[in-house]
Amino acid sequence: MIQDNRCTVPFGDHPGYTNDIDLYKQTVSSCCKIVKVPIDPITGILTPELVALRKSIIKNERNDQCKACWKTEDAGWLSLRKRISTHFTNPINWDKLDPFQPIQHIGVMFSNKCQMMCSYCSPAASSLWEKSLNGTIPIIDNYNPGIELQNILDISKLKSIKFTGGEPMLDDNCVDFLRSMPIDYNREISINTNLSYGKNVFSKLLDIIDRHQNIVIATSLDSVGDNITRKFFNWKLWNDNFTKLTEVIFDPNRCKPGSILHVTVTVGMLNYTHVPAVIEYLLKFKRAGINIMFDLSPITSGAILSLSAADIDKTALITVSAEDQRYLTARDQRMILAHNNMIKNSVYDPIIQEQTDSFLRQHYSITVEPHS
């Protein structure tokens, strides 16, 4: 049997796995598993590396750029490539794919400017984390991109564009670009935002939503009230902004039907006991007919703050009453089942626990009790 070495992601057709552009670093990558390369001065994000990768995929060859997936598969595990391929039910005629075809879905990061320090966030994506590291990584929250986004891609060809950071709403370059983008109600605009800011910044987000209307707002909530995973998180601002968004996103006079409000809960040692309360908070909106999507995203074993203690508090299990089950989609139920299985099957790892304790002492001024 011939091995199928092909992957759809580098062709830019999959909205969930976009080609990601770092404007402040002037780099691009076709996949989170592939090393970023400089944006090409002539072809923009259609770099020579991407074209070469596409050509080898069409030929069903293993390209070294994809070695992360090959290594995973050769070890007998399910790779990102394999997971993504399950989303495509229609057969693909690989011989008719053009290695130079335009990318239809992109993600873009104008800067790493951010007013928070989330425990699971990379320093490269948070200016406050970078400042706390004594300058070991260049601080770039006020960096003015030297490459204009509209000069390196054909916006008219885009079906979706996702804005990340940092906090996109705090970067003037990002906000100005969103306001100046050509209006196309068939093009999906996605914004990843922490929502922990005041009325002046929130009004910019509302203005962008009203302009583009076909919108996805993705945010995070890891506990209700004080949020130990997200330093400088402001619960009152977040709650006020989120409540307002539930009214705006699902108002047919302001947004296109199908617009999405998406919440990610990143579950780790810091917040796992808070997750049931977060689900109850989101259920409050679902009971009112607001179709919020949510993800429960566990920090996996081997990473700092991962769930690892054998005596983990079982009160972290999510229980939903029979009456409330009707408000959950099949996807919601799978998320909750996976979360509960993770809590039940967690295994104590002293090395990971020490990493977690050290992290908490250093960055959160938390007194850590000795582990028995």
Side-chain angles (χ1 to χ4, degrees):
M1 182 176 178
I2 298 176
Q3 171 72 28
D4 185 1
N5 298 308
R6 298 184 175 108
C7 178
T8 59
V9 172
F11 292 90
D13 288 334
H14 198 293
Y17 297 90
T18 57
N19 286 255
D20 289 317
I21 301 169
D22 279 359
L23 274 180
Y24 68 90
K25 290 183 179 178
Q26 301 180 15
T27 59
V28 63
S29 176
S30 60
C31 173
C32 63
K33 300 292 185 182
I34 293 178
V35 176
K36 290 183 178 289
V37 299
I39 295 172
D40 191 87
I42 299 175
T43 60
I45 61 175
L46 198 62
T47 62
E49 291 87 352
L50 178 57
V51 173
L53 176 59
R54 286 175 167 183
K55 288 180 177 178
S56 62
I57 287 176
I58 290 172
K59 294 177 182 177
N60 198 23
E61 298 172 347
R62 281 197 171 195
N63 189 291
D64 190 55
Q65 294 182 63
C66 298
K67 58 186 176 184
C69 277
W70 306 139
K71 184 176 180 180
T72 301
E73 291 177 25
D74 290 343
W77 297 94
L78 187 66
S79 69
L80 177 65
R81 178 182 81 98
K82 290 285 191 181
R83 293 203 304 271
I84 293 171
S85 66
T86 62
H87 294 278
F88 290 87
T89 55
N90 298 323
I92 297 171
N93 189 336
W94 292 98
D95 294 331
K96 289 190 175 181
L97 288 180
D98 179 4
F100 296 94
Q101 70 185 53
I103 291 171
Q104 297 180 326
H105 307 275
I106 70 161
V108 60
M109 181 176 177
F110 276 81
S111 81
N112 73 330
K113 186 173 184 177
C114 187
Q115 82 280 34
M116 295 200 302
M117 298 164 62
C118 298
S119 61
Y120 43 80
C121 187
S122 160
S126 170
S127 53
L128 282 191
W129 269 133
E130 289 193 348
K131 290 173 183 176
S132 77
L133 297 178
N134 299 318
T136 55
I137 300 175
I139 297 172
I140 45 183
D141 58 347
N142 294 316
Y143 188 89
N144 187 24
I147 290 181
E148 298 294 335
L149 186 58
Q150 57 266 36
N151 294 336
I152 60 172
L153 55 86
D154 186 348
I155 296 176
S156 67
K157 297 290 197 304
L158 291 179
K159 291 183 178 179
S160 71
I161 178 169
K162 176 175 66 178
F163 294 88
T164 62
E167 170 50 56
M169 291 296 98
L170 296 184
D171 187 272
D172 291 339
N173 291 306
C174 183
V175 172
D176 291 345
F177 183 82
L178 275 159
R179 283 174 164 166
S180 65
M181 272 186 68
I183 301 298
D184 181 349
Y185 297 130
N186 292 318
R187 182 191 303 117
E188 183 181 274
I189 305 294
S190 177
I191 301 173
N192 284 23
T193 174
N194 63 48
L195 285 182
S196 190
Y197 39 69
K199 291 181 179 179
N200 289 340
V201 176
F202 188 65
S203 65
K204 298 177 183 179
L205 179 62
L206 292 181
D207 176 55
I208 290 164
I209 291 172
D210 285 335
R211 284 172 184 268
H212 293 289
Q213 298 184 20
N214 186 1
I215 202 83
V216 175
I217 300 297
T219 187
S220 298
L221 182 65
D222 303 326
S223 63
V224 178
D226 292 336
N227 202 321
I228 198 172
T229 61
R230 307 175 71 195
K231 203 167 185 179
F232 308 118
F233 173 84
N234 187 313
W235 163 248
K236 184 181 185 306
L237 288 177
W238 195 97
N239 180 51
D240 290 347
N241 291 340
F242 186 78
T243 302
K244 179 64 176 178
L245 279 181
T246 62
E247 301 169 1
V248 171
I249 296 294
F250 301 103
D251 181 349
N253 296 317
R254 299 186 71 168
C255 287
K256 185 177 179 179
S259 293
I260 296 170
L261 186 54
H262 188 280
V263 179
T264 295
V265 187
T266 302
V267 186
M269 283 298 294
L270 287 179
N271 72 311
Y272 69 94
T273 57
H274 297 271
V275 176
V278 174
I279 298 303
E280 174 59 30
Y281 172 85
L282 297 176
L283 265 171
K284 176 182 71 173
F285 294 98
K286 284 177 171 284
R287 293 185 195 111
I290 305 297
N291 186 24
I292 299 169
M293 291 182 63
F294 69 81
D295 278 329
L296 297 175
S297 179
I299 301 177
T300 55
S301 182
I304 292 178
L305 307 180
S306 64
L307 289 166
S308 55
D311 57 349
I312 199 166
D313 189 350
K314 296 304 186 290
T315 61
L317 293 173
I318 300 169
T319 57
V320 179
S321 68
E323 183 179 353
D324 281 341
Q325 286 287 343
R326 59 179 170 162
Y327 301 111
L328 299 176
T329 65
R331 183 177 178 277
D332 296 338
Q333 294 172 353
R334 287 197 301 271
M335 285 283 170
I336 291 173
L337 178 62
H339 169 86
N340 287 345
N341 285 338
M342 176 184 65
I343 297 297
K344 293 175 183 176
N345 299 326
S346 59
V347 178
Y348 178 72
D349 185 325
I351 296 176
I352 296 174
Q353 193 66 58
E354 176 51 36
Q355 289 179 323
T356 301
D357 295 348
S358 175
F359 180 93
L360 297 179
R361 286 192 294 265
Q362 182 179 356
H363 295 291
Y364 285 87
S365 302
I366 293 173
T367 301
V368 181
E369 297 296 329
H371 293 274
S372 57

Short mmCIF file of all heavy atoms in Angstrom, two decimals, residues 315-345:
data_model
loop_
_atom_site.label_atom_id
_atom_site.label_comp_id
_atom_site.label_asym_id
_atom_site.label_seq_id
_atom_site.Cartn_x
_atom_site.Cartn_y
_atom_site.Cartn_z
N THR A 315 -13.83 17.41 42.84
CA THR A 315 -14.89 18.41 42.67
C THR A 315 -14.71 19.18 41.37
O THR A 315 -15.58 19.97 40.98
CB THR A 315 -14.91 19.41 43.84
OG1 THR A 315 -13.65 20.10 43.89
CG2 THR A 315 -15.16 18.71 45.16
N ALA A 316 -13.57 18.95 40.70
CA ALA A 316 -13.35 19.60 39.41
C ALA A 316 -14.13 18.93 38.29
O ALA A 316 -14.14 19.42 37.16
CB ALA A 316 -11.85 19.59 39.06
N LEU A 317 -14.77 17.80 38.58
CA LEU A 317 -15.61 17.15 37.58
C LEU A 317 -16.83 18.01 37.26
O LEU A 317 -17.45 18.58 38.16
CB LEU A 317 -16.07 15.78 38.09
CG LEU A 317 -14.98 14.72 38.28
CD1 LEU A 317 -15.57 13.48 38.95
CD2 LEU A 317 -14.36 14.35 36.95
N ILE A 318 -17.14 18.11 36.00
CA ILE A 318 -18.27 18.93 35.55
C ILE A 318 -19.53 18.05 35.56
O ILE A 318 -19.55 17.00 34.94
CB ILE A 318 -18.03 19.48 34.14
CG1 ILE A 318 -16.79 20.36 34.12
CG2 ILE A 318 -19.25 20.27 33.66
CD1 ILE A 318 -16.35 20.74 32.72
N THR A 319 -20.54 18.52 36.25
CA THR A 319 -21.83 17.84 36.21
C THR A 319 -22.88 18.81 35.67
O THR A 319 -22.92 19.97 36.07
CB THR A 319 -22.25 17.36 37.62
OG1 THR A 319 -22.29 18.49 38.50
CG2 THR A 319 -21.28 16.33 38.14
N VAL A 320 -23.68 18.33 34.75
CA VAL A 320 -24.73 19.14 34.14
C VAL A 320 -26.06 18.43 34.37
O VAL A 320 -26.20 17.24 34.09
CB VAL A 320 -24.49 19.34 32.63
CG1 VAL A 320 -25.60 20.16 32.00
CG2 VAL A 320 -23.14 20.02 32.40
N SER A 321 -27.03 19.14 34.90
CA SER A 321 -28.31 18.53 35.22
C SER A 321 -29.00 18.04 33.94
O SER A 321 -28.71 18.51 32.84
CB SER A 321 -29.22 19.55 35.92
OG SER A 321 -29.59 20.59 35.02
N ALA A 322 -29.90 17.11 34.12
CA ALA A 322 -30.65 16.56 32.98
C ALA A 322 -31.41 17.66 32.26
O ALA A 322 -31.51 17.68 31.03
CB ALA A 322 -31.61 15.47 33.46
N GLU A 323 -31.91 18.63 33.01
CA GLU A 323 -32.65 19.74 32.41
C GLU A 323 -31.75 20.61 31.54
O GLU A 323 -32.15 21.07 30.47
CB GLU A 323 -33.28 20.59 33.51
CG GLU A 323 -34.13 21.73 32.98
CD GLU A 323 -34.76 22.55 34.09
OE1 GLU A 323 -34.64 22.15 35.27
OE2 GLU A 323 -35.36 23.60 33.78
N ASP A 324 -30.49 20.78 31.97
CA ASP A 324 -29.57 21.63 31.22
C ASP A 324 -28.90 20.92 30.05
O ASP A 324 -28.30 21.57 29.20
CB ASP A 324 -28.49 22.18 32.16
CG ASP A 324 -28.98 23.35 32.99
OD1 ASP A 324 -30.00 23.95 32.59
OD2 ASP A 324 -28.37 23.65 34.04
N GLN A 325 -28.98 19.60 30.02
CA GLN A 325 -28.35 18.86 28.92
C GLN A 325 -28.89 19.32 27.57
O GLN A 325 -28.18 19.30 26.57
CB GLN A 325 -28.61 17.36 29.09
CG GLN A 325 -27.80 16.69 30.19
CD GLN A 325 -26.33 16.54 29.85
OE1 GLN A 325 -25.93 16.62 28.69
NE2 GLN A 325 -25.51 16.31 30.86
N ARG A 326 -30.12 19.75 27.53
CA ARG A 326 -30.73 20.15 26.25
C ARG A 326 -30.10 21.40 25.67
O ARG A 326 -30.26 21.69 24.49
CB ARG A 326 -32.23 20.37 26.43
CG ARG A 326 -32.59 21.43 27.47
CD ARG A 326 -34.08 21.63 27.60
NE ARG A 326 -34.43 22.46 28.74
CZ ARG A 326 -35.60 23.07 28.88
NH1 ARG A 326 -36.53 22.93 27.95
NH2 ARG A 326 -35.84 23.81 29.95
N TYR A 327 -29.38 22.16 26.50
CA TYR A 327 -28.74 23.37 26.01
C TYR A 327 -27.34 23.10 25.45
O TYR A 327 -26.71 24.00 24.90
CB TYR A 327 -28.64 24.42 27.12
CG TYR A 327 -29.98 24.82 27.68
CD1 TYR A 327 -30.35 24.47 28.98
CD2 TYR A 327 -30.89 25.54 26.91
CE1 TYR A 327 -31.58 24.83 29.50
CE2 TYR A 327 -32.13 25.91 27.42
CZ TYR A 327 -32.47 25.55 28.71
OH TYR A 327 -33.69 25.91 29.22
N LEU A 328 -26.86 21.88 25.62
CA LEU A 328 -25.51 21.52 25.17
C LEU A 328 -25.57 20.85 23.81
O LEU A 328 -26.41 20.00 23.56
CB LEU A 328 -24.85 20.57 26.18
CG LEU A 328 -24.64 21.11 27.60
CD1 LEU A 328 -24.06 20.01 28.48
CD2 LEU A 328 -23.73 22.33 27.59
N THR A 329 -24.64 21.24 22.95
CA THR A 329 -24.50 20.55 21.67
C THR A 329 -23.75 19.25 21.89
O THR A 329 -23.17 19.01 22.96
CB THR A 329 -23.73 21.42 20.66
OG1 THR A 329 -22.38 21.59 21.14
CG2 THR A 329 -24.37 22.79 20.50
N ALA A 330 -23.73 18.40 20.87
CA ALA A 330 -22.96 17.15 20.96
C ALA A 330 -21.49 17.46 21.18
O ALA A 330 -20.79 16.75 21.92
CB ALA A 330 -23.15 16.33 19.68
N ARG A 331 -21.02 18.55 20.57
CA ARG A 331 -19.62 18.96 20.74
C ARG A 331 -19.36 19.39 22.19
O ARG A 331 -18.32 19.04 22.77
CB ARG A 331 -19.31 20.11 19.79
CG ARG A 331 -17.89 20.60 19.80
CD ARG A 331 -17.72 21.70 18.75
NE ARG A 331 -16.38 22.24 18.74
CZ ARG A 331 -15.95 23.18 19.58
NH1 ARG A 331 -16.78 23.67 20.49
NH2 ARG A 331 -14.71 23.64 19.51
N ASP A 332 -20.29 20.15 22.78
CA ASP A 332 -20.16 20.54 24.18
C ASP A 332 -20.04 19.30 25.08
O ASP A 332 -19.20 19.26 25.99
CB ASP A 332 -21.38 21.35 24.63
CG ASP A 332 -21.53 22.67 23.91
OD1 ASP A 332 -20.53 23.19 23.38
OD2 ASP A 332 -22.67 23.19 23.88
N GLN A 333 -20.89 18.32 24.81
CA GLN A 333 -20.89 17.12 25.64
C GLN A 333 -19.59 16.34 25.51
O GLN A 333 -19.08 15.81 26.50
CB GLN A 333 -22.09 16.25 25.26
CG GLN A 333 -23.43 16.89 25.60
CD GLN A 333 -24.63 16.12 25.07
OE1 GLN A 333 -24.47 15.16 24.33
NE2 GLN A 333 -25.82 16.54 25.43
N ARG A 334 -19.02 16.31 24.30
CA ARG A 334 -17.72 15.64 24.11
C ARG A 334 -16.63 16.36 24.89
O ARG A 334 -15.74 15.73 25.49
CB ARG A 334 -17.36 15.57 22.62
CG ARG A 334 -18.18 14.57 21.82
CD ARG A 334 -17.52 14.27 20.48
NE ARG A 334 -17.34 15.46 19.67
CZ ARG A 334 -18.24 15.94 18.81
NH1 ARG A 334 -19.39 15.32 18.66
NH2 ARG A 334 -17.99 17.01 18.10
N MET A 335 -16.67 17.69 24.88
CA MET A 335 -15.69 18.48 25.62
C MET A 335 -15.75 18.16 27.12
O MET A 335 -14.72 17.97 27.77
CB MET A 335 -15.95 19.97 25.40
CG MET A 335 -15.53 20.49 24.05
SD MET A 335 -13.74 20.72 23.98
CE MET A 335 -13.54 21.03 22.23
N ILE A 336 -16.96 18.14 27.65
CA ILE A 336 -17.14 17.89 29.08
C ILE A 336 -16.71 16.47 29.45
O ILE A 336 -16.04 16.25 30.47
CB ILE A 336 -18.60 18.15 29.48
CG1 ILE A 336 -18.90 19.65 29.38
CG2 ILE A 336 -18.90 17.62 30.88
CD1 ILE A 336 -20.36 20.01 29.58
N LEU A 337 -17.05 15.50 28.60
CA LEU A 337 -16.64 14.11 28.85
C LEU A 337 -15.12 13.99 28.85
O LEU A 337 -14.53 13.33 29.72
CB LEU A 337 -17.25 13.19 27.79
CG LEU A 337 -16.87 11.71 27.90
CD1 LEU A 337 -17.37 11.13 29.22
CD2 LEU A 337 -17.45 10.93 26.72
N ALA A 338 -14.46 14.64 27.88
CA ALA A 338 -12.99 14.59 27.81
C ALA A 338 -12.37 15.23 29.05
O ALA A 338 -11.37 14.73 29.59
CB ALA A 338 -12.50 15.29 26.54
N HIS A 339 -12.94 16.34 29.50
CA HIS A 339 -12.44 17.00 30.70
C HIS A 339 -12.56 16.07 31.92
O HIS A 339 -11.60 15.91 32.69
CB HIS A 339 -13.22 18.29 30.95
CG HIS A 339 -12.96 18.89 32.30
ND1 HIS A 339 -11.92 19.75 32.56
CD2 HIS A 339 -13.62 18.74 33.50
CE1 HIS A 339 -11.93 20.10 33.83
NE2 HIS A 339 -12.96 19.51 34.42
N ASN A 340 -13.72 15.49 32.10
CA ASN A 340 -13.93 14.61 33.26
C ASN A 340 -13.01 13.40 33.23
O ASN A 340 -12.49 12.97 34.26
CB ASN A 340 -15.39 14.18 33.32
CG ASN A 340 -16.31 15.30 33.77
OD1 ASN A 340 -15.85 16.31 34.29
ND2 ASN A 340 -17.60 15.14 33.55
N ASN A 341 -12.78 12.84 32.03
CA ASN A 341 -11.86 11.71 31.92
C ASN A 341 -10.43 12.12 32.27
O ASN A 341 -9.68 11.35 32.88
CB ASN A 341 -11.90 11.14 30.50
CG ASN A 341 -13.16 10.33 30.24
OD1 ASN A 341 -13.80 9.86 31.18
ND2 ASN A 341 -13.52 10.20 28.97
N MET A 342 -10.06 13.34 31.88
CA MET A 342 -8.73 13.84 32.19
C MET A 342 -8.54 13.97 33.71
O MET A 342 -7.50 13.59 34.26
CB MET A 342 -8.51 15.20 31.51
CG MET A 342 -7.18 15.86 31.84
SD MET A 342 -7.08 17.50 31.08
CE MET A 342 -8.38 18.36 31.96
N ILE A 343 -9.56 14.50 34.39
CA ILE A 343 -9.48 14.65 35.84
C ILE A 343 -9.39 13.28 36.52
O ILE A 343 -8.58 13.06 37.43
CB ILE A 343 -10.71 15.42 36.37
CG1 ILE A 343 -10.75 16.84 35.80
CG2 ILE A 343 -10.72 15.45 37.89
CD1 ILE A 343 -9.59 17.71 36.20
N LYS A 344 -10.17 12.34 36.07
CA LYS A 344 -10.20 11.01 36.69
C LYS A 344 -8.89 10.26 36.48
O LYS A 344 -8.47 9.47 37.34
CB LYS A 344 -11.34 10.18 36.10
CG LYS A 344 -12.73 10.69 36.45
CD LYS A 344 -13.79 9.88 35.70
CE LYS A 344 -15.19 10.40 35.96
NZ LYS A 344 -16.21 9.67 35.15
N ASN A 345 -8.24 10.49 35.34
CA ASN A 345 -7.07 9.67 34.97
C ASN A 345 -5.74 10.37 35.15
O ASN A 345 -4.72 9.89 34.68
CB ASN A 345 -7.21 9.24 33.51
CG ASN A 345 -8.45 8.40 33.27
OD1 ASN A 345 -8.85 7.64 34.13
ND2 ASN A 345 -9.06 8.56 32.10
#
